[in-house]
Amino acid sequence: MKRIGVLTSGGDAQGMNAAVRAVVRTAIDQGVEVYAILEGYQGMVDGGQRIRPINWNDVGGILHQGGTIIGSARCRAFMERDGRLRAAQNLVDNGIEGLVIIGGDGSLTGASVLHDEWSGLLAELVDAGKITQEAADHHQFMPSVGLVGSIDNDMYGTDMTIGADTALHRITEAVDAISSTAASHQRAFVVEVMGRRCGYLALMSALATGADWVLIPESPPNLDAWEDKMCDVLRKGRAIGRRDSIVIVAEGAQDRYGNRITSTYVKQVLEEKLKEDTRVTILGHVQRGGSPSAFDRNLSTILGWEAVHTLLKMAPQQETLVIGMRGNRIEATPLSECLAKTKTVADAIARRDYDAALKARGGSFARSFRTLRTLVRALPHEPEPGKRQLRLAVLHSGAPAPGMNTAVRAAVRLGVDQGHTMFGVRNGFRGLIEDEFIELDWMSVNGWALRGGAELGTNRKIPEGSDFYAIARNLEKHQIQGILMIGGWSGYLAVLEVFERRSNFPAFQIPIVCLPASIDNDLPGSELSVGADTALNSIVNAVDKIKQSAVASRRVFVVEVMGRYCGYLALMSALATGAERVYLPEEGITLTDLVHDVHQLMKGFRQGKRVGLTIRNEDANDVYTTDFIKSLFQEEGGELYDVRTAILGHIQQGGNPTPFDRIQAVRLAAECIHFLEQQLNGSAAEPMSACIGLLNGGYKFTDLENVPRLMDKQFQRPNHQWWLSLRPVARVMARPGPAG
Ligand code: ADP
């Protein structure tokens, strides 16, 4: 294959630019030319100037931009065979031999139709004398791959579609802002979010913001008088001191009978039944706008990279494949399967078979909805008679990570709802030693969903010597039956210390579960930890600004990021900001590297480059520090450029958690409470202790017995780090383009 085409089609989504950039650069890197097809299928039908070569430098500086620089459109003509006939001719005339199509389910349906008709279209073009038989033979097949660009996250074949995470950012920013004004005036707000057939954005934003009610298409309220039920919950919430009432409505929300539930209707209901001053906010296109999140930039980059590699490997006649992500793994699924499974949900909603719709969305969607239904309650359920009530403790350890509070809130509410007594332990293991236990009830965690930092307090204390006696005594005193530790590396070490002494202290023979929370993402048994996404976004936002500040002058930045001995934040922020060079602790820094890098930099500036960006992890090397690198670059570069450093520091640990971190925190906490119940109610002689993590796209528990084996104790990171395999992607994306 020598030349491929790339297009973005349908509703635009943040991250499409990153995908186009990755497709273009990966293809050129593989020796393949790329043509941009402008304005989606419209450009394919029109041809002419709308299909043209796109080069390495054409896709520079677009990572942080929303929308799509090659344009997107909805195209009527392509819905007709005649339009597709013209499109086929334009593809053949331009010598395009493969396609990468970035769009929603509509656009990918179009791709599937074109693929099915391809040989017929060519035969017709030959008959009409519009292309030669030779050209038709050469273009006998049009292998294609699709990437799902859609803010709705409504398509089978990928856990996340391009744009969904950024849309969630926009929604949570808005709802957080509305919450504060709603609270000052004790008002009710109805917020309408996008999603005609998919409640993903509504459900996840409700989970992330701690909204009080949510209405989604897949699972309408299971009652005729749902309005009364909703008002009842909101009224009770007010009575116990909630100052704001927020209802999130998906654009396509409906009742059991398929009648639409509009935001205006919800407002009417609240005003009539609750007599509350109610305002409606329809977020609309704000959700499609703004700079893509770190996640969307990286997701799109990785998918774009993979799309090209898949396309180049495909058999000519192979069916179109959709490239998506399952967990952190890339997966290719036949387009027909993706379209059919996506349609199952829409069909189920249309037939009003809501159980089937919810089921077809997948297990985690349904589980999240159940969790949400408990979290929004004004008060916990009455305890079930006969159900065993437990006494559970929650504590932190390690550095603060955004999302810690969100996890505590979810754990406490879900525990209390099951009739358990929930204790918070202040100040990590120190509080466990010094008896700083407080009972947490339903309202004591109100408003914690979005709060950064760690309300319970956290530090790096690891118990030793007589501390264990003190801990055992306090656990006995409060009759604690299970512990949830939400924290980082030192928390894992501390828990292991306690766990290893369980035969000496009967009080330690209880299930303990660790929930990974650390911006460094350096914890065993989980591919991602709560807090890392927020830190990554803080870095990316800061670097975007730093880069902007530099365009007026020729400048090189050396940005130092946190991570201790784990290069996750450094590599992922380099990928998301287009840094030319990243220094990781896993690779270290050598003099040879530095000599090579400074020469590359100088070469770039001599060829007209205006901004240089290098990201260095804080512990990449003890001798070649950020200041050392700055001095070296400056000394060698002379007049070519100025060098500045930016040590980002604690802004990386602060800030309110991102939607992704909040959602993970809630889901992980729910799994952990369930785990503790299972262990305590199970029949095993000794309950299991474990750490939970996101592994291969699902939540898994790893027995604490096996955890030390996963840890590199010297460098305080897991032995195996999945994201290291992304290094080649970062390297290729950041290379200077072919000279010229
Ligand atoms: P999205 O891709 O975001 O779901 P649309 O549903 O509007 O957006 O689809 C985008 C474009 O894809 C349409 O304007 C049309 O050109 C093309 N398309 C959609 N469905 C079909 C179809 N069944 N046959 C041919 N082309 C289609």
Side-chain angles (χ1 to χ4, degrees):
M1 210 177 277
K2 296 212 171 51
R3 184 177 295 165
I4 63 170
V6 59
L7 69 150
T8 50
S9 166
D12 66 330
Q14 307 96 325
M16 280 181 162
N17 277 330
V20 170
R21 170 178 176 270
V23 167
V24 169
R25 294 197 169 172
T26 309
I28 296 175
D29 182 65
Q30 294 290 311
V32 174
E33 284 181 321
V34 189
Y35 275 44
I37 299 168
L38 306 185
E39 320 302 336
Y41 290 119
Q42 194 63 51
M44 202 185 275
V45 172
D46 295 348
Q49 272 306 300
R50 288 193 151 172
I51 304 183
R52 58 175 181 224
I54 180 164
N55 295 316
W56 193 278
N57 291 331
D58 297 334
V59 291
I62 62 168
L63 259 184
H64 64 284
Q65 289 175 15
T68 156
I69 59 156
I70 58 171
S72 183
R74 299 206 152 87
C75 169
R76 260 184 189 292
F78 197 77
M79 306 286 283
E80 312 293 331
R81 188 178 158 93
D82 200 43
R84 294 190 292 272
L85 193 66
R86 278 189 283 153
Q89 180 178 355
N90 286 325
L91 292 177
V92 171
D93 286 349
N94 280 287
I96 291 170
E97 297 167 323
L99 285 175
V100 179
I101 297 143
I102 308 164
D105 61 341
S107 305
L108 296 178
T109 305
S112 159
V113 173
L114 182 70
H115 193 268
D116 293 346
E117 289 177 351
W118 187 253
S119 53
L121 294 172
L122 290 199
E124 202 176 321
L125 288 169
V126 173
D127 284 347
K130 297 217 164 121
I131 61 171
T132 62
Q133 185 60 48
E134 203 186 350
D137 291 344
H138 182 77
H139 289 274
Q140 197 183 356
F141 301 104
M142 182 58 68
S144 308
V145 292
L147 300 184
V148 193
S150 153
I151 65 164
D152 293 342
N153 204 25
D154 54 354
M155 183 131 177
Y156 181 87
T158 187
D159 286 350
M160 285 297 273
T161 55
I162 292 171
D165 183 64
T166 308
L168 272 180
H169 274 254
R170 295 297 97 82
I171 299 171
T172 40
E173 281 154 18
V175 176
D176 287 356
I178 287 170
S179 302
S180 55
T181 158
S184 343
H185 295 280
Q186 297 220 23
R187 268 191 188 129
F189 269 87
V190 181
V191 182
E192 182 179 309
V193 304
M194 283 186 171
R196 267 169 300 159
R197 282 157 309 178
C198 180
Y200 179 86
L201 291 177
L203 173 58
M204 293 304 161
S205 59
L207 261 194
T209 56
D212 304 290
W213 198 258
V214 65
L215 294 156
I216 58 173
E218 294 89 339
S219 186
N222 194 9
L223 291 166
D224 283 339
W226 63 269
E227 294 93 335
D228 292 337
K229 171 93 183 168
M230 172 179 76
C231 290
D232 188 42
V233 166
L234 296 180
R235 195 178 296 118
K236 281 188 183 141
R238 282 270 190 250
I240 57 166
R242 258 190 208 167
R243 293 193 54 90
D244 57 343
S245 296
I246 297 206
V247 178
I248 296 186
V249 186
E251 203 178 4
Q254 50 182 3
D255 68 15
R256 284 272 132 187
Y257 306 102
N259 305 309
R260 273 208 58 199
I261 301 177
T262 62
S263 41
T264 325
Y265 178 67
V266 178
K267 171 187 153 89
Q268 263 172 23
V269 170
L270 297 183
E271 285 186 331
E272 279 165 22
K273 293 192 192 267
L274 286 182
K275 309 270 176 282
E276 284 211 9
D277 185 12
T278 306
R279 303 290 157 96
V280 176
T281 301
I282 297 175
L283 291 181
H285 283 76
V286 163
Q287 295 163 85
R288 286 194 193 283
S291 184
S293 66
F295 179 89
D296 270 325
R297 297 184 197 190
N298 288 347
L299 174 77
S300 309
T301 301
I302 297 163
L303 294 182
W305 158 276
E306 190 60 26
V308 171
H309 284 284
T310 303
L311 191 57
L312 298 182
K313 279 191 304 227
M314 270 166 82
Q317 68 277 37
Q318 200 174 331
E319 194 197 334
T320 304
L321 293 173
V322 172
I323 313 295
M325 280 294 218
R326 291 243 183 263
N328 286 311
R329 225 178 280 151
I330 303 168
E331 226 175 61
T333 316
L335 173 60
S336 54
E337 188 185 334
C338 296
L339 291 173
K341 294 231 167 103
T342 303
K343 200 164 164 291
T344 316
V345 182
D347 289 350
I349 295 175
R351 316 192 280 283
R352 292 189 231 137
D353 183 349
Y354 299 113
D355 290 337
L358 206 52
K359 208 161 142 224
R361 275 271 179 254
S364 71
F365 190 92
R367 267 199 304 283
S368 296
F369 190 54
R370 273 202 304 278
T371 303
L372 180 82
R373 287 207 304 231
T374 302
L375 291 179
V376 299
R377 292 179 62 85
L379 287 169
H381 286 95
E382 285 300 314
E384 268 174 55
K387 188 168 169 10
R388 189 167 164 218
Q389 293 169 10
L390 305 168
R391 296 168 71 83
L392 306 174
V394 184
L395 80 160
H396 299 307
S397 172
M404 280 180 157
N405 289 326
T406 322
V408 175
R409 169 183 178 267
V412 167
R413 288 213 167 161
L414 295 170
V416 169
D417 187 61
Q418 293 295 315
H420 309 322
T421 306
M422 301 297 295
F423 290 91
V425 180
R426 289 204 177 279
N427 301 319
F429 279 80
R430 203 163 280 151
L432 210 50
I433 298 163
E434 291 168 8
D435 192 11
E436 295 184 68
F437 285 64
I438 41 168
E439 192 180 328
L440 295 173
D441 63 11
W442 192 263
M443 283 302 282
S444 62
V445 290
N446 198 39
W448 286 25
L450 54 99
R451 215 174 284 171
E455 293 289 321
L456 285 178
T458 182
N459 55 58
R460 294 213 171 91
K461 167 75 183 169
I462 297 174
E464 56 193 348
S466 61
D467 293 343
F468 297 103
Y469 290 98
I471 294 177
R473 200 178 51 235
N474 291 330
L475 291 178
E476 273 161 11
K477 175 174 160 193
H478 298 285
Q479 297 164 41
I480 300 300
Q481 294 165 294
I483 297 178
L484 167 61
M485 193 289 298
I486 301 164
W489 189 266
S490 60
Y492 279 60
L493 290 184
V495 163
L496 286 171
E497 293 288 339
V498 169
F499 178 68
E500 279 156 15
R501 285 170 180 74
R502 64 195 182 287
S503 51
N504 307 352
F505 298 95
F508 295 173
Q509 285 161 20
I510 57 175
I512 308 177
V513 60
C514 301
L515 187 160
S518 157
I519 65 160
D520 298 338
N521 198 30
D522 56 355
L523 298 169
S526 188
E527 290 165 3
L528 284 174
S529 54
V530 171
D533 185 62
T534 308
L536 190 57
N537 277 287
S538 301
I539 297 172
V540 167
N541 290 337
V543 173
D544 281 353
K545 288 185 188 135
I546 289 171
K547 271 180 104 169
Q548 256 172 16
S549 80
V551 283
S553 48
R554 291 153 70 92
R555 189 161 280 176
V556 174
F557 276 98
V558 185
V559 178
E560 181 182 302
V561 302
M562 286 183 166
R564 311 185 89 194
Y565 292 109
C566 170
Y568 178 80
L569 288 177
L571 183 70
M572 297 311 254
S573 62
L575 202 56
T577 56
E580 287 90 31
R581 181 65 165 104
V582 55
Y583 298 114
L584 306 177
E586 287 82 358
E587 297 175 331
I589 309 175
T590 65
L591 187 59
T592 321
D593 291 338
L594 291 172
V595 170
H596 173 264
D597 296 344
V598 77
H599 285 152
Q600 280 294 113
L601 207 57
M602 288 161 64
K603 189 170 140 203
F605 276 85
R606 283 203 190 97
Q607 285 172 0
K609 186 179 177 62
R610 304 193 57 84
V611 187
L613 177 62
T614 299
I615 294 186
R616 179 185 175 279
N617 157 284
E618 57 186 356
D619 286 322
N621 187 291
D622 289 343
V623 178
Y624 302 134
T625 60
T626 303
D627 272 337
F628 178 94
I629 294 176
K630 173 195 166 183
S631 308
L632 176 81
F633 284 4
Q634 189 67 77
E635 180 64 17
E636 295 297 313
E639 298 289 297
L640 269 176
Y641 48 72
D642 269 349
V643 189
R644 295 282 195 277
T645 57
I647 296 178
L648 296 184
H650 283 82
I651 59 164
Q652 297 164 83
Q653 280 180 3
N656 288 347
T658 55
F660 184 84
D661 276 335
R662 298 186 201 180
I663 294 163
Q664 290 311 318
V666 171
R667 286 174 158 183
L668 288 165
E671 297 287 332
C672 287
I673 294 297
H674 186 61
F675 173 86
L676 291 174
E677 286 171 348
Q678 267 183 331
Q679 295 306 315
L680 288 160
N681 295 328
S683 52
E686 197 186 328
M688 180 175 142
S689 287
C691 62
I692 190 175
L694 207 64
L695 288 176
N696 301 329
Y699 297 119
K700 306 253 157 51
F701 287 92
T702 308
D703 195 322
L704 280 192
E705 298 266 15
N706 300 324
V707 170
R709 247 176 283 154
L710 306 174
M711 298 164 90
D712 178 340
K713 291 244 169 96
Q714 185 190 353
F715 289 110
Q716 306 198 353
R717 61 189 179 217
N719 286 321
H720 171 74
Q721 304 193 94
W722 63 273
W723 49 269
L724 284 171
S725 64
L726 299 175
R727 283 176 296 175
V729 185
R731 230 172 277 139
V732 169
M733 289 304 129
R735 266 223 300 265

